[in-house]
């Protein structure tokens, strides 16, 4: 990530680090920001979408606020918890750490598009329900997206590989036991009933 | 009832579908027409005098709609403590006002002193940086021992020595306990820290205030475990508005673990700001704010002593604890270290004499309150650590020492020396089950395998009990509670025969929508799919006290049973009329009303329809409709109990501890949905292992929170934890509620920390480090390795 982008994220996350706004009048500040607005176009869940974003707008904000896709959750501000994981061009990415502008032209998939064409739960989703891999549901979209990305790359992971792959997704409810089971089951491998 | 849908079935959760498809509706997901955004300005110092706050420049910033400071809320009431504690000298506890926003002084890092409302979140944040706050930093009170010892340095000017209360339980027993210690052949003493934790529900707190100037009604969407309690606190205590002019909606809530029981100032602030600008005001905490301003948990410093005879019989137990309550009293802050902690100090043991002393101490840190287990993990940890230490000192097997002292099944009901009456249990049974399923016999072989890899293997045990299903209102009232602790349910049978059940309990991960429907299905003989559970909206549900303390099933579930009993009783009257039989001859079974001795029968749906279309109906003696509400006030606490075994491998080169296995044998009474119960235990154990090995909210001497993000606060992750072996086949049903249910939500977090620490100490002793009597949690590699070098 280049320094300018890093700085933008810092500004977005920590407003107190921003240059003192009293250096200029509020009106000038606002015009500066207006200038930074830009139109982005990307494919989200199979549809082409466009929106006006600021330079500092995160992909998670663009999805949630701009497109109303609130299944992508934000659980931390340090790119640690993984509740916001989506797929960008088929790769798992933490949407809270990606600028919307940076993924212009990309293909983004969110939890809202993980079901089967007939509307039933997709394989990973169904495994999570079958094995009680979720409780409060807040980390769940990120877990499902990370698990799906893992299985796309490693169709038959070991349990150790599953735990390692989920290391960037924090769940406070389940103790991971049933999440690991769900991912193993989604890969078609046998798991115990309990 | 077939076991695919009633009590005892592992029914898959219906709520999962929306959570798995991104259709959950959490507070942060809600957007109201005309919504604006709030940002709270929070103190960067732990303790400071607010000299002035100049908002002129900030108010002129783009998009800014309103800025309010502590001054604007000074006339509002304070956020009260829910429980009034008496000190052992008879004095009432100190209860300083907890304002909506800090006023006059800031008292912890993260203490909010201004709210900025703007058209966008970015504008609100930008404007906050233009607020000029002149705050003189004062010395911070952080360490509890120093706080108590230094009368000059005060969190609240009027509270000398920073002591909220000095509580003795039971004071009248103190002399007898002291005498028993003097005469005892052996006394084991242990000083320990129950480490401070940040609860870290994955959904950060969020609130939307929505004032309607046309009606004068307030609506609050918020991340709450108990919307009616929040409404009561906000309306009656803080804002002084009629309760019926405020609706509180807690929609999908992403975990709570205690931290969302409480009313927080941000809720009143967004409501007041909404009224001020006549538009909805939304606030969503970021994780940093959660770390700084959510109520933390635990944070006890304890000295515990156990007196034993030469055979290892427990003679008496005595503790002294400093309990941190932080800068202000959060709603349950005073009951957590007292009645939820001191009354558990007998544990599952026959100890005849117990005395507990707790001093609650104000510090310049975030408020500390109930976190999963709430007082009971602190009690269990202290007891189970000192029992383990006593076994080593006396050269006894820690498993055998526990067994000798466990209350036996023929002793129930059993009254403890700390005021509880355990109704039922069988602690030997869970211990025996644990020995079996943990393959205790095979431990030495596994230890030898570990040794081949250069690892030190240890085995740790804890036998635990908790008091939950909170709580009998008359009892808690005598002990200082300012609320009742019943719950309520309304069962509405609709004209077409399907059922809506409105409950006071709130589900934020527990799966009530599924389990409560199973119970209704079982009781009324209708398909679970025709039962809808409604929770979380004060405009829809009866006044209930919400979900915490493993109480939902035992208390709210019992209210549901009571309401359904009324439904059945009324249904029998209707059926008697329709079947032209005496009411006494009507039986209800498996969803049908039958007249005894005849083949006349009505389905539940036919009776329901008749209640709403009362053409053939006893209108002269019976109201139409089929809807009943019941309030249930428990007769006693419930007492789940169990035994946990942990095996660890310690790397002697680094001190790193790995959990090799974790096994639980629990008695939760009657289990409704085994799949969900196992999941609750997994999650509780994970949090307990987190406390034991990883987590700590660390403040430096200046009151800065050093572990204030996921970069510094070590949350348990998938590769930190093993698979768990859990069993709940030992069942002694609760004797005083209609479901026989005891509660399972907190068990894992209560029983697991001492099992982990006992296992590590065991591993170290087996390797010859017999000088290591104790290591404080979290048992980080650095702490374990350092202990091994001494």
């Amino acid at each position: 990530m280049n320094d300018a982008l890093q700085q933008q994220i810092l500004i977005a996350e920590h407003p107190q680090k921003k240059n003192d706004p009293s250096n200029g009048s509020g009106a000038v500040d606002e015009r500066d920001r207006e200038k930074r607005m830009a139109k982005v176009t990307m494919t989200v869940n199979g549809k082409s979408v466009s929106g006006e974003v600021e330079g500092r707008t995160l992909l998670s904000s663009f999805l949630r606020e701009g497109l109303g896709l609130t299944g992508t959750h934000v659980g931390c501000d340090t790119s640690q918890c993984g509740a916001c994981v989506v797929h960008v061009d088929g790769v798992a990415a933490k949407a809270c750490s990606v600028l919307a502008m940076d993924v212009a032209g990309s293909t983004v998939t969110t939890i809202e598009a993980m079901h089967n064409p007939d509307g039933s739960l997709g394989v990973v989703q169904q495994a999570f329900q079958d094995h009680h891999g979720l409780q409060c549901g807040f980390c769940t979209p990120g877990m499902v997206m990370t698990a799906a990305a893992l299985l796309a790359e490693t169709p038959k992971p070991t349990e150790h590989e599953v735990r390692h792959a989920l290391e960037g997704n924090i769940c406070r409810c389940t103790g991971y036991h049933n999440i690991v089971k769900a991912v193993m089951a989604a890969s078609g491998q046998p798991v115990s009933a309990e | 009832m077939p076991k695919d849908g009633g009590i005892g079935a592992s029914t898959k959760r219906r709520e999962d579908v929306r959570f798995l498809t991104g259709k959950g509706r959490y507070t942060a997901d809600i957007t109201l027409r005309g919504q604006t955004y709030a940002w709270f300005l929070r103190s960067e110092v732990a303790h400071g005098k607010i000299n002035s706050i100049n908002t002129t420049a900030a108010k002129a910033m783009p998009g800014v709609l309103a800025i309010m400071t502590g001054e604007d809320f000074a006339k509002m009431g304070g956020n009260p403590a829910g429980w009034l504690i008496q000190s052992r000298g008879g004095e009432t506890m100190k209860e300083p006002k907890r304002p909506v926003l800090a006023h006059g002084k800031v008292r912890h890092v993260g203490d909010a002193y201004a709210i900025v409302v703007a058209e966008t979140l970015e504008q609100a944040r930008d404007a906050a940086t233009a607020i000029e706050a002149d705050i003189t930093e004062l010395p911070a009170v952080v360490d509890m021992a120093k706080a108590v010892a230094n009368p000059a340095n005060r969190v609240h000017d009027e509270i000398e020595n920073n002591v909220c209360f000095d509580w003795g339980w039971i004071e009248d027993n103190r002399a007898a306990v002291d005498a028993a210690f003097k005469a005892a052949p052996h006394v084991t003493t242990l000083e320990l820290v129950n480490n401070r934790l940040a609860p870290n529900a994955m959904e950060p707190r969020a609130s939307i205030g929505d004032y309607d100037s046309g009606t004068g009604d307030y609506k609050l969407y918020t991340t709450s475990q108990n919307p009616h309690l929040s409404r009561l606190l906000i309306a009656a205590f803080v804002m002084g508005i009629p309760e019926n002019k405020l609706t509180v909606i807690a929609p999908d809530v992403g975990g709570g673990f205690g931290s969302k029981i409480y009313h927080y100032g941000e809720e009143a602030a967004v409501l007041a700001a909404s009224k001020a600008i006549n538009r909805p005001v939304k606030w969503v905490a970021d994780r940093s704010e959660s770390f700084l301003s959510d109520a933390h948990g635990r944070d006890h410093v304890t000295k515990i002593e156990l007196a034993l005879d030469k055979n290892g019989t427990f003679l008496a137990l005595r503790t002294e604890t400093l309990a941190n309550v932080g800068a202000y009293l959060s709603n349950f802050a005073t009951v957590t270290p007292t009645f939820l902690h001191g009354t558990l100090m007998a544990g599952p043991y026959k100890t005849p004499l117990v005395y507990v002393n707790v001093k609650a101490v104000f510090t310049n840190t975030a408020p500390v309150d109930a976190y999963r287990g709430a007082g009971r993990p602190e009690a269990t940890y202290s007891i189970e650590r000192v029992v383990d230490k006593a076994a080593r000192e006396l050269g006894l097997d820690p498993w055998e020492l526990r067994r000798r002292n466990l209350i036996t099944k023929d002793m129930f009901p059993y009254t403890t020396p700390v005021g509880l009456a355990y109704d039922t249990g069988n602690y030997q049974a869970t211990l025996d089950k644990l020995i079996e399923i943990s393959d205790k016999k095979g431990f030495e072989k596994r230890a030898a395998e570990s040794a081949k890899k250069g690892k030190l293997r240890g085995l740790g045990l804890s036998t635990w009990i908790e008091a939950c299903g909170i709580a009998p209102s008359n009892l808690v009232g005598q002990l200082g509670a300012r609320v009742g602790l019943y719950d309520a349910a309304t069962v509405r049978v609709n004209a077409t025969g399907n059922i809506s059940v409105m409950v006071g309990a709130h589900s934020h991960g527990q799966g009530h929508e599924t389990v409560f429907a199973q119970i209704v299905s079982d009781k009324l003989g209708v398909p679970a799919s025709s039962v809808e559970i409604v929770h979380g909206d004060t405009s829809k549900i009866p006044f209930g006290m919400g979900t915490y303390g493993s109480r939902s099933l035992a208390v709210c579930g019992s209210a549901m049973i009571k309401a359904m009993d009324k439904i059945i009783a009324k249904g029998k009257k209707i059926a008697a009329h329709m079947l032209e039989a005496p009411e006494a001859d009507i039986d209800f079974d498996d969803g049908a009303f039958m007249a005894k001795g005849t083949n006349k029968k009505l389905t539940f749906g036919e009776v329901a329809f008749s209640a709403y279309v009362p053409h053939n109906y006893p209108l002269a003696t019976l109201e139409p409709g089929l809807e009943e509400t019941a309030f249930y006030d428990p007769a006693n606490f419930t007492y789940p109990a169990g035994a946990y075994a942990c095996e660890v491998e310690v790397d002697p080169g680094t001190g790193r501890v790995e959990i090799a296995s974790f096994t639980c044998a629990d008695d939760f009474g009657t289990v409704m949905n085994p799949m969900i119960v196992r999941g609750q235990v997994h999650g509780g154990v994970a949090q307990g292992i987190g406390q034991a090995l990883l987590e700590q909210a660390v403040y430096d001497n200046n009151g800065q929170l050093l572990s204030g993000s996921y970069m510094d606060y070590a949350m348990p992750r998938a590769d930190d934890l093993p698979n768990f072996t859990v069993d709940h086949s030992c069942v002694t049903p609760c004797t005083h509620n209609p479901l026989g249910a005891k509660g399972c939500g907190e068990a894992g977090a209560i029983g697991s920390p001492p099992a982990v620490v006992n296992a590590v100490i065991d591993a170290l002793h087996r390797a010859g480090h017999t000088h290591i009597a104790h290591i404080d949690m979290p048992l980080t590699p650095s702490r374990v390795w350092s202990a091994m070098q001494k």
Side-chain angles (χ1 to χ4, degrees):
Chain A
M1 192 181 288
N2 68 40
D3 289 345
L5 286 177
Q6 184 84 50
Q7 185 61 30
Q8 283 178 327
I9 288 177
L10 283 176
I11 290 167
E13 297 297 327
H14 302 286
Q16 68 274 17
K17 291 190 179 137
K18 191 172 178 294
N19 293 337
D20 184 353
S22 62
N23 290 344
S25 73
V28 171
D29 192 65
E30 185 173 32
R31 277 198 298 277
D32 282 346
R33 184 148 349 115
E34 297 268 348
K35 280 180 197 161
R36 301 210 312 265
M37 297 289 284
K39 186 177 174 183
V40 295
T41 300
M42 64 185 84
T43 302
V44 177
N45 297 339
K47 289 183 193 150
S48 178
V49 297
S50 306
E52 292 281 321
V53 300
E54 292 183 28
R56 61 182 172 179
T57 301
L58 299 166
L59 176 58
S60 53
S61 305
F62 180 68
L63 294 170
R64 289 178 54 81
E65 312 296 332
L67 304 180
L69 294 171
T70 55
T72 298
H73 295 157
V74 178
C76 76
D77 35 34
T78 53
S79 188
Q80 293 281 308
C81 82
C84 65
V85 169
V86 297
H87 297 171
V88 176
D89 296 327
V91 176
K94 289 183 172 171
C96 77
S97 305
V98 177
L99 295 170
M101 281 181 175
D102 272 2
V103 294
S106 294
T107 295
V108 175
T109 306
T110 71
I111 188 69
E112 284 89 348
M114 295 300 283
H115 55 78
N116 293 327
D118 68 356
S120 60
L121 294 178
V123 172
V124 179
Q125 293 169 319
Q126 187 62 56
F128 270 67
Q129 186 188 31
D130 290 346
H131 295 278
H132 190 29
L134 65 154
Q135 291 182 22
C136 82
F138 194 81
C139 77
T140 307
M143 285 286 178
V144 169
M145 299 310 285
T146 299
L150 165 71
L151 295 178
E153 201 168 279
T154 312
K156 300 282 177 197
T158 64
E159 188 188 310
H160 178 77
E161 285 171 328
V162 172
R163 288 187 180 271
H164 183 69
L166 295 176
E167 200 265 347
N169 292 71
I170 302 176
C171 171
R172 193 53 150 170
C173 294
T174 65
Y176 306 99
H177 177 113
N178 284 343
I179 293 176
V180 173
K181 250 171 52 178
V183 178
M184 294 297 283
S187 74
Q189 303 184 76
V191 293
S192 69
E194 292 193 352
Chain B
M1 193 67 208
K3 287 297 176 195
D4 60 345
I7 288 174
S10 281
T11 306
K12 288 177 198 169
R13 301 199 326 167
R14 55 176 66 179
E15 44 271 82
D16 289 357
V17 174
R18 67 177 188 273
F19 296 144
L20 282 162
T21 54
K23 300 296 182 191
R25 189 165 181 259
Y26 302 86
T27 301
D29 300 339
I30 295 169
T31 297
L32 302 179
R33 182 189 288 273
Q35 177 172 289
T36 65
Y37 295 83
W39 176 258
F40 286 91
L41 193 55
R42 297 179 185 275
S43 177
E44 294 176 7
V45 299
H47 194 190
K49 181 173 177 297
I50 302 174
N51 302 314
S52 65
I53 301 173
N54 184 345
T55 60
T56 310
K59 278 179 174 159
M61 296 277 284
V64 173
L65 299 165
I67 297 178
M68 301 165 88
T69 67
E71 182 86 41
D72 296 303
F73 292 92
K75 286 189 180 145
M76 279 194 188
N79 185 3
W83 211 294
L84 202 65
I85 301 297
Q86 307 291 334
S87 285
R88 55 208 176 107
E91 321 86 76
T92 299
M93 71 180 199
K94 304 288 195 302
E95 187 180 6
K97 182 179 177 183
R98 185 183 184 192
V100 174
L101 294 175
H103 181 48
K105 268 172 108 180
V106 285
R107 291 189 174 85
H108 65 92
V109 172
D111 200 1
Y113 60 89
I115 174 174
V116 182
V117 182
E119 296 287 351
T120 71
L121 176 61
E122 290 76 12
Q123 288 169 334
R125 292 173 128 179
D126 288 350
T129 65
I131 292 176
E132 296 163 19
D134 177 8
I135 296 175
T136 303
E137 187 169 359
L138 300 169
V141 179
V142 179
D143 178 80
M144 283 194 281
K146 287 182 192 161
V148 173
N150 183 357
N153 203 355
R154 298 180 184 181
V155 177
H156 296 276
D157 295 344
E158 69 279 15
I159 302 175
E160 198 177 341
N161 296 329
N162 301 301
V163 174
C164 176
F165 56 76
D166 179 356
W167 181 77
W169 192 255
I170 294 173
E171 200 59 26
D172 288 348
N173 296 349
R174 187 180 195 177
V177 172
D178 289 348
F181 269 92
K182 265 191 194 143
H186 186 86
V187 174
T188 296
T189 304
L190 184 60
E191 292 183 30
L192 48 83
V193 173
N194 204 290
N195 42 326
R196 183 179 182 120
L197 304 175
N200 275 306
M202 291 317 296
E203 179 205 23
R205 284 193 295 123
S207 300
I208 307 173
D210 184 17
Y211 177 74
D212 183 336
S213 62
T215 59
D217 290 341
Y218 293 85
K219 192 178 279 186
L220 175 71
Y221 298 85
T222 194
T223 48
S224 174
Q225 300 176 218
N226 36 222
H228 264 299
L229 188 59
S230 290
R231 181 172 86 149
L232 181 66
L233 290 170
I234 294 167
F237 290 86
V238 178
M239 294 184 75
I241 56 177
E243 200 180 349
N244 58 8
K245 300 302 277 182
L246 172 63
T247 297
V248 175
I249 298 173
D252 286 330
V253 172
F257 314 111
S259 68
K260 293 170 182 170
I261 298 172
Y262 326 115
H263 163 57
Y264 290 88
E266 290 91 348
E267 295 171 324
V270 294
L271 285 168
S274 175
K275 185 179 186 186
I277 66 168
N278 205 16
R279 288 172 65 182
V281 176
K282 178 177 186 173
W283 166 72
V284 180
D286 61 28
R287 183 56 58 183
S288 303
E289 285 183 283
S290 302
F291 271 107
L292 294 174
S293 67
D294 289 3
H296 290 180
R298 315 287 192 255
D299 208 350
H300 286 193
V301 176
T302 292
K303 179 185 177 187
I304 181 164
E305 298 165 283
L306 177 65
L308 309 92
D309 72 14
K310 293 232 160 19
N311 298 321
T313 303
F314 300 168
L315 302 174
L317 184 134
R318 183 165 67 183
T319 73
E320 281 173 35
T321 289
L322 291 179
N324 202 338
V325 290
Y328 305 98
L329 293 179
S330 178
N331 300 137
F332 280 7
T334 54
V335 67
T336 298
T338 53
F339 291 107
L340 296 179
H341 166 247
T343 57
L344 250 288
M345 273 295 172
Y349 303 116
K350 292 177 282 191
T351 320
L353 290 161
V354 178
Y355 176 75
V356 178
N357 172 234
V358 178
K359 283 193 185 76
V361 184
F362 289 105
T363 59
N364 291 118
T365 64
V368 181
D369 205 324
Y371 164 64
R372 198 169 194 166
R376 291 150 291 171
E378 294 90 320
T380 303
Y381 182 68
S382 298
I383 297 167
E384 290 302 294
R385 284 293 300 124
V386 82
V387 167
D388 233 55
K389 185 167 184 252
R392 291 189 191 288
E393 288 177 357
L394 292 174
L396 296 168
D397 172 34
W399 295 58
E400 177 54 29
L401 177 62
R402 285 178 172 86
R403 185 185 294 279
R404 274 182 210 174
N405 287 283
L406 288 175
I407 298 162
T408 52
K409 65 179 177 182
D410 55 333
M411 295 172 78
F412 294 98
Y414 179 85
T415 301
T416 73
V418 272
L420 294 180
Y422 300 165
D423 62 332
T424 183
N426 187 345
Y427 309 146
Q428 287 78 15
T430 43
L431 184 56
D432 288 341
K433 175 59 73 175
L434 181 73
I435 289 169
E436 173 201 332
I437 62 175
S438 66
D439 185 25
K440 181 169 183 282
K441 272 191 253 168
F443 174 76
E444 295 298 341
K445 196 176 160 199
R446 293 189 293 276
E449 292 295 321
S450 298
K452 279 186 206 159
K453 295 187 290 178
K455 299 284 174 64
L456 316 178
R457 199 172 186 104
L459 171 61
L461 167 69
S462 79
T463 47
W464 64 272
I465 185 170
E466 67 164 316
C468 55
I470 295 169
S473 294
N474 55 0
L475 172 65
V476 299
Q478 287 165 24
L479 300 177
R482 288 164 159 166
V483 292
L485 285 166
Y486 47 84
D487 219 292
T490 297
V491 176
R492 178 183 298 154
V493 182
N494 298 307
T496 51
N498 56 34
I499 298 171
S500 307
V501 183
M502 281 62 76
V503 293
H506 185 276
S507 188
H508 34 277
Q510 295 85 348
H512 294 172
E513 292 167 34
T514 300
V515 177
F516 287 4
Q518 285 178 250
I519 294 168
V520 175
S521 167
D522 203 277
K523 177 93 180 168
L524 297 182
V526 297
S529 58
S530 72
V531 181
E532 189 75 10
I533 304 299
V534 179
H535 64 99
D537 182 339
T538 60
S539 67
K540 295 178 181 169
I541 62 172
F543 190 100
M545 299 307 289
T547 289
Y548 42 83
S550 307
R551 70 190 299 275
S552 300
L553 200 54
V555 188
C556 190
S558 297
M560 281 169 44
I561 294 289
K562 272 186 76 178
M564 287 189 285
D565 283 338
K566 294 185 192 180
I567 292 279
I568 293 168
K570 186 169 179 181
K572 284 182 178 175
K573 289 185 200 296
I574 300 168
H577 177 88
M578 293 172 72
L579 298 174
E580 297 174 337
E583 187 188 329
D585 285 357
I586 302 295
D587 286 333
F588 179 71
D589 185 42
D590 200 21
F593 293 91
M594 289 155 291
K596 266 187 198 129
T598 74
N599 60 357
K600 291 195 284 185
K601 189 172 174 178
L602 288 168
T603 66
F604 190 79
E606 287 169 321
V607 169
F609 187 77
S610 175
Y612 287 94
V613 187
H615 296 166
N616 176 19
Y617 194 89
L619 282 168
T621 55
L622 200 62
E623 295 169 11
L626 196 52
E627 172 170 332
E628 298 289 350
T629 295
F631 286 72
Y632 177 81
D633 202 278
N636 191 353
F637 291 88
T638 60
Y639 300 98
Y644 289 0
C646 177
E647 290 188 23
V648 297
E649 282 189 337
V650 180
D651 183 335
T654 62
R656 183 171 184 276
V657 177
E658 190 165 326
I659 306 285
S661 69
F662 202 100
T663 310
C664 307
D666 291 308
D667 175 359
F668 295 131
T670 309
V671 165
M672 305 296 129
N673 182 320
M675 174 192 81
I676 286 177
V677 166
R678 285 192 294 272
Q680 289 291 312
V681 176
H682 295 162
V685 170
Q687 289 182 4
I689 292 174
Q691 170 165 30
L693 296 183
L694 298 165
E695 301 179 36
Q696 186 165 20
V698 182
Y699 284 92
D700 72 9
N701 291 335
N702 297 316
Q704 293 292 332
L705 181 63
L706 299 180
S707 48
S709 82
Y710 290 149
M711 311 289 276
D712 326 287
Y713 187 95
M715 291 282 279
R717 293 169 190 255
D719 53 0
D720 294 315
L721 298 171
N723 283 321
F724 309 107
T725 303
V726 301
D727 177 279
H728 47 75
S729 62
C730 298
V731 174
T732 59
C734 172
T735 59
H736 56 79
N737 69 45
L739 288 165
K742 294 181 174 178
C744 67
E746 297 162 296
I750 292 170
S752 60
V756 176
V757 176
N758 289 344
V760 174
I761 300 296
D762 184 58
L764 298 177
H765 276 247
R766 285 167 181 275
H769 299 282
T770 51
H771 65 285
I772 302 174
H774 178 69
I775 305 173
D776 273 325
M777 302 186 290
L779 271 60
T780 59
S782 152
R783 285 186 178 180
V784 174
W785 186 86
S786 298
M788 292 170 72
Q789 307 315 306
K790 281 171 194 159

